[in-house]
Amino acid sequence: MPILFRLYADPSLRTSQLRRDMAGISQKMLTQHLRELEADRLIERTDFGEKPLRVEYRLSDRGKQLLPVLIAARSFSLDHG
């Protein structure tokens, strides 16, 4: 969820920006989560084919549709936690 919320706040981010914003996550775990979210079609990956490697992530339309549900669930959890 933190990745989805971060991409909601900033529509397009590189892996390095996500890692800086998410303290305590290893590169391996971040990459794994990004791949899972891409496989679930919640985010889109754009590879610019440049050297050094330049890849950006953004929410897909499906991910944007899921966000209000996640925000409501988070709000409910905070109110009743």
Side-chain angles (χ1 to χ4, degrees), residues 1-45 55-60 63-64 66-67 70-71 74:
M1 279 186 20
I3 294 171
L4 295 176
F5 283 121
R6 185 64 189 95
L7 288 172
Y8 181 69
D10 197 342
S12 180
L13 290 172
R14 295 177 73 172
T15 307
S16 59
Q17 292 170 305
L18 283 166
R19 187 158 181 236
R20 270 194 303 266
D21 293 346
M22 301 176 68
I25 191 168
S26 69
Q27 182 65 47
K28 179 182 176 182
M29 289 305 298
L30 178 59
T31 299
Q32 181 178 334
H33 289 302
L34 289 168
R35 286 181 181 157
E36 290 170 0
L37 290 168
E38 185 180 13
D40 292 336
R41 298 185 333 215
L42 296 175
I43 65 171
E44 297 172 346
R45 179 180 186 268
V55 176
E56 291 183 355
Y57 293 91
R58 72 183 74 248
L59 285 178
S60 66
K64 291 174 187 172
L66 179 61
L67 238 354
L70 295 177
I71 291 169
R74 182 175 182 218

